[in-house]
Amino acid sequence: MLRTRIRAGPLAGFVLSALFAACFAVLGVGELFIPALSPEMGMPAPVTLRVPYGPRIVRDTHDGNFTLSYEHRRVIVPRGTVLSEHNEDHNAAMAYETVRRMRRPGLGARLASMYAIYLIVCLMLTVYLRRFGQNRVRLLRTQVGMFVLMTGSLIVAKLLLLFTALPEFWMPVAALPLWVAIAFDRRTAFLVEVGVAFIASSLLRFDVVLLSVLLVRGIAATMFFFKRKGSRQLFVAGSLAGIAGAIGFIALTVLFEGSFDLGADLKRWLGSNVLACVGGGLLVGVLGRSLREPAERAMGHVPRDKLLDLTDLEQPLLKKMAAEAPGSWEHARAMANLAEASAAAIGADALLTRVGAYYHDLGKTVQPKYFIENLPPGERSPHEELDPEVSADAIMAHVVMGTKILREGNIPEPVVEFAYTHHGTQVVEYFWHKCVEHGNPKDLTQEHFRYPGMKPQTKETAILMLVDSIEAASRTIWPPEHKKFEEMIQRVMFSKLASGQLDQSGLTIEDLRIMTSRMASTLVNMYHGRIKYPWQRESDRAGHTPAPPTVTPHPTRPGTPTPVPASSAPGRDGTPPPPASVRGAPPPPPASVRGAAPPPPASVRGAAPPPSSSARGAVAPVVVDEAGGPVKDESPAESVRTPRKTH
């Protein structure tokens, strides 16, 4: 098994939760242990003093009358203000700070209680990510990155509370769920928003209004973020989230106090709570856009700009593949178009899928002649002189070597993942059957012929595995009709499902249905016909060849060259022709899998009939695996060369 990215298990999740819960606890009360930050009456306040919003009894000595009233209010004493005993707000702030700074047993008990609360929140987050999140958020790197970004957001919020007199609603903690929504999905972003909002409100004694505004603003920002590609969408989402937060603040104030004077609040400018709610949303959009790339990198996601750079055909590794394994490179390019369309149809990361298609077969540049697509016409396959297990090792080596080359080339790990998952843990069926046909003199098992990779862990890598076989098998379908393509695609999908290769990918039945329709339509459009030009028809007549049809045949089915018979066609990976027992139609399935798949349709069953003069250019049949699905690298395929398409 190749070295892959580390997943966070239960123990790692607990350690991660305990560590960051301690960080949050220190962040919440750390200033209480610094003597220089302790306020004193008659001295300038070293930090901004804040009393959370809530009900309190207030003395009113206006006009010499002494009365007590019950009202909701919040107190902010700016940093540097000289504290006076004659100021009601100063007295309230000092009383609140005195309670906070009480020594044993009060302070220790509060610290332990806060740690317990933070630990519960962190454990809830890690357990959800590990058990219910998509495969990418289960990685240890991703979870560490999320907690690091959460800690950074809370540090910014704490600095705003301690060293500015701005309302607490300026906290830009909603930027984190925006980044999570961009890199992963909205459901994970919602959970992250709940956690970060809860911890941020705890910095101000769990202020209920602050908690409500942060929740409304964060969830609204995630909901209003529609397009990953547009940077402007981040500003739009932040602005709409700020407006939603302001509406929520006004509603809560009316609920608690019975009324709200919007004009008086707006006249306070920087001290306005409504403007703070809106401004906090705008700040979320600005930070979300400006820090998007480093935030995505911290969570192990590849930024869009980096992916676009990797699609540049001048990239050294792509130039190396085009020069040393041109057939494999053309196959990768054809796969990229098909895989990108399929990913876009089900809402997966289409650009990442395209990049993965470009780089997944880079290991074939090490020994390109072992793969049929890289052999010139007439050149013998090196597999003809090798033992089956040696040939299988040579074929499987492209997975290992491709992973090695990509990692040495500093290609992001999500792209490298396509190299070691596009064959999963499948068996190189052709050479295993060849070994059995020769009597298996070395008593080998199927494990000696199994790819050393791992099953696809994401929708994107699973799409590439399917497209790898579908694109190769599509070259054997004639005529290129939608129904025939659908039958072939369903065969491939069922074979992968039956062998368990898609178990960990996250693909649903709905995804497979949508992909089948989209890929069939794409293939029909790819293999469209063209009208021949007059000079081509004249050339045919001058050469005394039969008059061609009005529409040119399938681009992979030439009308003039004689096809290579199926009995002597080398495999796609450069393998020699299969023995008689495995040539043509597949053997009956073993008892363990009998009934797993229906027999192949007539369009792809068995060997093709001998080409006639009117049907010259027909191709060999689709070769199927043990589950009835067409395969590419594991089985022999037709080696007819495709003529240049006319326009």
Side-chain angles (χ1 to χ4, degrees):
M1 174 70 71
L2 289 169
R3 178 178 62 86
T4 58
R5 293 187 284 178
I6 302 174
R7 288 194 174 194
L11 179 60
F14 180 81
V15 172
L16 202 62
S17 301
L19 177 62
F20 281 94
C23 294
F24 298 152
V26 171
L27 186 63
V29 297
E31 77 277 7
L32 302 183
F33 296 91
I34 303 177
L37 300 182
S38 300
E40 296 181 7
M41 278 295 182
M43 300 293 293
V47 294
T48 299
L49 306 180
R50 298 174 185 264
V51 180
Y53 180 81
R56 59 179 51 85
I57 297 176
V58 181
R59 292 186 302 175
D60 186 3
T61 58
H62 185 65
D63 295 333
N65 296 322
F66 180 80
T67 58
L68 296 176
S69 61
Y70 181 80
E71 63 181 32
H72 288 75
R73 59 179 299 189
R74 60 176 51 81
V75 175
I76 299 178
V77 180
R79 177 172 176 261
T81 303
V82 178
L83 301 176
S84 172
E85 296 179 355
H86 304 289
N87 188 297
E88 194 69 31
D89 288 346
H90 294 185
N91 288 328
M94 282 299 297
Y96 177 72
E97 287 296 320
T98 300
V99 173
R100 290 185 69 211
R101 296 173 183 274
M102 287 177 58
R103 295 297 175 181
R104 295 182 180 179
L107 185 59
R110 287 189 179 91
L111 183 60
S113 299
M114 292 186 69
Y115 177 78
I117 293 173
Y118 294 147
L119 180 61
I120 292 173
V121 173
C122 293
L123 283 174
M124 291 173 60
L125 181 58
T126 55
V127 169
Y128 173 85
L129 296 177
R130 185 177 70 252
R131 299 190 60 183
F132 306 108
Q134 58 171 261
N135 286 326
R136 286 184 294 172
V137 301
R138 299 178 186 180
L139 299 173
L140 182 61
R141 161 74 181 277
T142 299
Q143 295 187 18
V144 171
M146 282 187 186
F147 277 109
V148 169
L149 292 175
M150 183 183 295
T151 303
S153 300
L154 295 172
I155 290 175
V156 172
K158 186 68 174 181
L159 294 176
L160 183 146
L161 293 176
L162 289 180
F163 298 105
T164 74
L166 295 172
E168 57 272 18
F169 304 107
W170 281 93
M171 292 183 182
V173 294
L176 176 58
L178 262 183
W179 294 327
V180 175
I182 294 171
F184 305 108
D185 62 277
R186 283 183 170 83
R187 286 184 296 179
T188 304
F190 287 153
L191 183 66
V192 171
E193 166 58 26
V194 171
V196 72
F198 188 83
I199 297 175
S201 66
S202 71
L203 302 179
L204 205 56
R205 192 68 74 88
F206 296 100
D207 189 324
V208 64
V209 177
L210 175 61
L211 173 60
S212 302
V213 170
L214 293 180
L215 283 174
V216 169
R217 195 163 61 192
I219 294 175
T222 304
M223 292 178 61
F224 290 133
F225 181 69
F226 300 112
K227 299 179 181 178
R228 294 181 177 181
K229 299 180 182 179
S231 299
R232 294 182 180 179
Q233 188 64 34
L234 289 168
F235 297 107
V236 174
S239 302
L240 295 177
I243 295 173
I247 294 173
F249 170 78
I250 294 173
L252 285 171
T253 303
V254 172
L255 178 64
F256 289 136
E257 301 181 12
S259 63
F260 181 75
D261 190 344
L262 180 60
D265 183 84
L266 294 177
K267 289 179 180 178
R268 295 163 57 190
W269 293 104
L270 290 179
S272 169
N273 293 314
V274 173
L275 292 180
C277 292
V278 177
L282 293 174
L283 185 59
V284 165
V286 172
L287 292 179
R289 174 63 186 90
S290 58
L291 300 179
R292 173 178 175 175
E293 183 171 336
E296 289 183 278
R297 291 182 185 275
M299 292 185 290
H301 188 260
V302 188
R304 182 173 178 80
D305 292 342
K306 178 63 175 178
L307 289 176
L308 290 174
D309 290 340
L310 292 175
T311 60
D312 186 358
L313 300 186
E314 293 299 317
Q315 215 278 345
L317 290 178
L318 296 184
K319 293 176 67 176
K320 172 185 175 68
M321 186 174 183
E324 299 179 9
S328 299
W329 169 236
E330 294 303 326
H331 167 63
R333 294 179 64 186
M335 283 179 58
N337 294 328
L338 194 57
E340 185 179 36
S342 302
I346 64 172
D349 194 330
L351 182 57
L352 176 62
T353 309
R354 168 173 282 277
V355 175
Y358 279 165
Y359 289 86
H360 79 285
D361 265 347
L362 198 65
K364 291 184 178 180
T365 60
V366 177
Q367 294 176 316
K369 298 300 183 179
Y370 282 91
F371 304 91
I372 185 63
E373 66 267 27
N374 299 315
L375 286 177
E379 183 173 340
R380 295 184 60 188
S381 169
H383 293 285
E384 297 178 8
E385 302 175 358
L386 298 177
D387 292 333
E389 65 275 13
V390 178
S391 292
D393 286 341
I395 296 299
M396 294 185 293
H398 86 276
V399 173
V400 179
M401 296 307 298
T403 302
K404 181 175 182 292
I405 293 171
L406 291 173
R407 284 175 174 162
E408 290 177 349
N410 296 320
I411 301 299
E413 192 64 24
V415 178
V416 179
E417 187 175 356
F418 286 89
Y420 58 77
T421 59
H422 73 280
H423 284 300
T425 57
Q426 299 176 107
V427 174
V428 187
E429 287 292 331
Y430 171 69
F431 290 114
W432 165 243
H433 283 297
K434 182 179 178 181
C435 178
V436 173
E437 286 293 325
H438 291 174
N440 194 6
K442 299 181 181 179
D443 292 328
L444 302 176
T445 65
Q446 280 194 348
E447 296 305 314
H448 292 87
F449 296 83
R450 191 175 299 277
Y451 278 100
M454 64 184 299
K455 296 178 181 179
Q457 303 295 301
T458 64
K459 290 185 177 182
E460 291 80 8
T461 53
I463 290 171
L464 192 74
M465 168 183 276
L466 294 171
V467 170
D468 201 12
S469 296
I470 290 170
E471 196 280 329
S474 68
R475 300 174 182 270
T476 67
I477 302 300
W478 179 255
E481 298 174 352
H482 192 279
K483 184 177 180 180
K484 293 182 180 293
F485 281 129
E486 274 194 342
E487 291 176 351
M488 177 270 294
I489 293 169
Q490 290 168 356
R491 283 237 177 228
V492 173
M493 289 182 174
F494 185 81
S495 69
K496 306 303 181 186
L497 285 170
S499 61
Q501 296 300 314
L502 306 181
D503 290 352
Q504 303 171 19
S505 66
L507 287 175
T508 64
I509 297 299
E510 181 184 12
D511 292 335
L512 296 178
R513 177 183 59 80
I514 295 173
M515 288 167 55
T516 299
S517 178
R518 175 59 65 89
M519 282 194 281
S521 299
T522 303
L523 288 171
V524 169
N525 295 328
M526 285 174 60
Y527 294 127
H528 63 275
R530 291 294 183 97
I531 303 296
K532 281 193 174 184
Y533 289 107
W535 63 267
Q536 293 175 305
R537 293 196 293 269
E538 293 175 1
S539 177
D540 290 338
R541 286 194 294 269
H544 304 287
T545 57
T550 305
V551 180
T552 58
H554 192 286
T556 61
R557 288 150 183 80
T560 51
T562 302
V564 179
S567 61
S568 61
R572 176 174 177 81
D573 288 327
T575 59
S581 60
V582 297
R583 190 178 303 143
S592 59
V593 299
R594 189 168 298 153
S603 60
V604 297
R605 188 185 303 134
S612 62
S613 59
S614 60
R616 187 168 297 159
V619 298
V622 178
V623 182
V624 297
D625 59 15
E626 74 277 7
V631 297
K632 176 178 69 72
D633 287 334
E634 297 85 344
S635 307
E638 187 65 60
S639 63
V640 177
R641 295 300 175 187
T642 303
R644 187 182 303 274
K645 187 190 300 183
T646 59
H647 298 276

